[in-house]
Every structure is written in C-alpha cells, then in structure tokens.
Amino acid sequence: FMSRGVLDNATGVAVMLELSKRLAGQFPSETYPADIVFAAFNAEECGLEGSRPFYEELSRQYTEFYNINMDVVGALDKPLAFNNLDANSEALYADFLPILNEHNVPVDQAAIYAADIYNNPYGRSDRVVFQEQGRSAIVLGESKLQGYTNTPNDSDLAAVDFPELLRLTDAIEQFIVSTDGMIY
C-alpha cells in the first residue's frame, strides 16, 4: 500500500520542528536549565529499532532524562489517548494534563494509545523503550484511528486539525518552560 504518512507521523515531526524553533528563540544557547534533545525515529513498526539504539546512546551521555513522544497527533475530531499504563510516568502525565486542558487539546483519559476498538493495546510507540528501562515517558497520540494509520487513508491532509497542532505545540512549549528543567 502507498501512504504519505500525513498523521503517522508527519504531524508529530511538524510539532517537534516548530517546538524546537520556538524554544531556540526563547532560550539562547545554554540558558535553559537542562539539555533538550529532539529526535525523530524510524523503524517503530519493526520492533522499535530506531529508538532502542538512540536510548542506549542517550543513557551513556545523560543520567537523568524523560521522553515526550509525539506519535500521530492532530487528527480531526480525535482526542489524544491519555491513559497512562506506566507507574514511573504518573507524575509526567499528571503535570501535562492541566496544560493540555488549558490549551483546549482534547484528551480521552480512558483511551489507551495504539489500542483496538475494545481499548486493548495492540501496538507500541517509541516511548516504550524508555519506560522499559524505568524512565518516565509520555505518548501524545490520537486515539481511535484504526483503519487510518499505516493505510492509504493516511494521505489525506483534510484529516489534519491544523489549529489543534498549534494548540498542542503551545501546550508542550508551556510544559517545558514551566517545568524549568525538572526531570521526571
């Protein structure tokens, strides 16, 4: 099948690029209290082969870090799946939720990311690599997209809620700035 990957995951990459531009403007070189590393991974569907080596390298360079994973964001009329299944990530989810609400980013706290129509997990996102190692990580990804991602349907720009992408970028920016380098 042929898919342009509009939602999976051009939208997440677009948010990441806009966020990196904004933060670079807000914090001239070396003024933020912690390093921020931006990465886009390949081979998620092949056993998280892109994020695993990245995690190994990152853990050699840093002793404390957490992960914000943007995977399939900004789908029209779809909320973020915001049900955390990882005990180490509870504080990260708890601190993110009010900021998402403040920016009117729709969330479904009952929905599990990459779940089937019965809310049973069937897929994994790159944040799992961090969580498996006891690191805090959050996935910001839309729920209820069966039959869309990884199909020819993921080529339609009309399925993207561009104002929501901007609100999500605003929320992540506010989260990073307001946590002032805190590590979860």
Side-chain angles (χ1 to χ4, degrees):
F1 67 86
M2 178 65 159
S3 169
R4 292 184 185 164
V6 169
L7 285 173
D8 190 12
N9 190 23
T11 54
V13 172
V15 170
M16 182 181 66
L17 291 172
E18 176 63 20
L19 184 62
S20 67
K21 182 176 85 174
R22 289 182 188 189
L23 292 173
Q26 274 197 42
F27 300 104
S29 182
E30 300 181 26
T31 61
Y32 189 70
D35 289 347
I36 300 172
V37 178
F38 291 92
F41 304 120
N42 200 359
E44 175 196 57
E45 284 88 0
C46 300
L48 308 172
E49 290 299 317
S51 53
R52 287 191 193 284
F54 175 81
Y55 176 87
E56 291 169 14
E57 181 63 30
L58 190 68
S59 63
R60 284 193 286 273
Q61 295 180 29
Y62 296 93
T63 57
E64 295 183 331
F65 54 91
Y66 66 95
N67 173 258
I68 300 172
N69 182 185
M70 290 172 282
D71 195 1
V72 188
V73 295
L76 196 63
D77 300 324
K78 302 288 184 189
L80 293 178
F82 209 75
N83 187 331
N84 174 38
L85 302 175
D86 178 63
N88 291 322
S89 302
E90 287 177 12
L92 182 57
Y93 273 80
D95 287 353
F96 234 111
L97 183 58
I99 295 172
L100 291 170
N101 289 335
E102 180 182 329
H103 289 277
N104 298 314
V105 176
V107 298
D108 181 346
Q109 289 183 266
I112 297 169
Y113 182 75
D116 63 19
I117 60 171
Y118 306 106
N119 213 30
N120 297 313
Y122 70 85
R124 299 179 349 146
S125 187
D126 292 299
R127 59 106 174 45
V128 170
V129 171
F130 294 79
Q131 291 173 337
E132 287 174 343
Q133 300 301 318
R135 303 287 182 172
S136 183
I138 189 170
V139 62
L140 301 175
E142 307 291 342
S143 67
K144 301 174 182 147
L145 287 172
Q146 295 81 11
Y148 192 86
T149 58
N150 299 317
T151 73
N153 296 329
D154 194 7
S155 299
D156 186 7
L157 282 173
V160 178
D161 186 338
F162 290 98
E164 182 181 313
L165 290 178
L166 291 173
R167 292 191 314 272
L168 179 61
T169 305
D170 293 342
I172 299 168
E173 179 182 16
Q174 180 180 337
F175 176 82
I176 291 171
V177 171
S178 68
T179 56
D180 196 34
M182 184 170 103
I183 302 296
Y184 285 83

